[in-house]
Amino acid sequence: MEHQSLDERFTSFLLDSQVLKFGDFTLKSGRQSPYFINAGAFDNGAKIATLGDFYAEKITEAMASGKLPKDIDTVFGPAYKGIPLAVSTAMALYSRHDLSVGYTFDRKEKKDHGDGGMFVGTQLRDGMKVLLVDDVMTAGTAVREVLPKLKEAADVQVVGLVLSVDRMEKTKDSDMSAVQSVEKEFGFPVLAIANVREIFAAAANLEDGEGKPLLNDEIIARAEEYMSQYGA
């Protein structure tokens, strides 16, 4: 396993966790996709802990290459799917990489009793460097919704966004992908543990439980057709 690249190891993990499936799927957008990613299948402690390890590995790689600063103050995950991502990533950064950073997530509704407030975890303060984490970005809606909340709370610096998978598909309104659109609009890097082309390349070298190639010629052909039509 150690000689495999990050995207190859991550693809195997997605498949083992039943998060990634190949076949014929109708997406919310109406597109017929040759693959489907169900982030809801990260449904137990082992899976979410391993996922946090992958996020932490991607983050520390980006720190080493200069894409992300090394002095991040907190990892922010938008409610609800981003909550376990933020927590598991902060834990993995500490346990695996000896980096102590906070975690923060938002409430869907502002709490008006007890400690109150819109955020749980590390509270935001002026000048803090905040790293966003999310699973799969389709249109960037979650980012556009959460950034005003962060800025309203404090004058923080959002230094980047880390995703599990970049679908690399054009949005409905442009020829850019959601990742490219967010990077252009907000000026911070959007990184993914793996993108869909890397996932298909890795899966092409894997076998199923019976020793047969995981991807047959039909799925590969449909994937190429899909990306030629929708890829950014």
Side-chain angles (χ1 to χ4, degrees), residues 179-199:
V179 164
Q180 293 168 334
S181 176
V182 167
E183 285 186 324
K184 181 179 179 181
E185 183 174 349
F186 298 109
F188 54 70
V190 181
L191 311 172
I193 300 172
N195 64 50
V196 67
R197 295 189 188 278
E198 291 169 336
I199 285 173

Side-chain angles (χ1 to χ4, degrees), residues 145-180:
E145 288 178 350
V146 82
L147 285 179
K149 292 182 182 180
L150 297 176
K151 289 295 186 178
E152 183 181 347
D155 184 19
V156 299
Q157 178 187 358
V158 176
V159 297
L161 166 63
V162 180
L163 305 169
S164 55
V165 177
D166 177 5
R167 293 183 63 94
M168 303 180 75
E169 294 179 24
K170 291 180 286 190
T171 61
K172 291 182 178 180
D173 303 323
S174 76
D175 288 333
M176 290 189 296
S177 70
V179 164
Q180 293 168 334

Side-chain angles (χ1 to χ4, degrees), residues 89-219:
T89 298
M91 293 174 68
L93 284 170
Y94 179 70
S95 63
R96 299 279 187 176
H97 304 279
D98 199 29
L99 291 175
S100 182
V101 302
Y103 71 84
T104 310
F105 58 88
D106 59 330
R107 306 180 197 269
K108 286 296 186 180
E109 295 180 358
K110 191 171 183 178
K111 186 178 177 184
D112 59 3
H113 60 278
D115 57 355
M118 179 61 75
F119 299 100
V120 180
T122 298
Q123 295 302 297
L124 303 178
R125 301 182 306 277
D126 291 354
M128 289 179 70
K129 293 179 180 177
V130 178
L131 177 65
L132 308 181
V133 290
D134 209 346
D135 54 2
V136 180
M137 185 166 63
T138 303
T141 304
V143 176
R144 292 180 175 89
E145 288 178 350
V146 82
L147 285 179
K149 292 182 182 180
L150 297 176
K151 289 295 186 178
E152 183 181 347
D155 184 19
V156 299
Q157 178 187 358
V158 176
V159 297
L161 166 63
V162 180
L163 305 169
S164 55
V165 177
D166 177 5
R167 293 183 63 94
M168 303 180 75
E169 294 179 24
K170 291 180 286 190
T171 61
K172 291 182 178 180
D173 303 323
S174 76
D175 288 333
M176 290 189 296
S177 70
V179 164
Q180 293 168 334
S181 176
V182 167
E183 285 186 324
K184 181 179 179 181
E185 183 174 349
F186 298 109
F188 54 70
V190 181
L191 311 172
I193 300 172
N195 64 50
V196 67
R197 295 189 188 278
E198 291 169 336
I199 285 173
F200 269 96
N205 296 319
L206 298 175
E207 298 178 342
D208 63 18
E210 298 177 353
K212 299 177 182 178
L214 187 65
L215 300 183
N216 57 37
D217 291 341
E218 180 185 354
I219 292 177

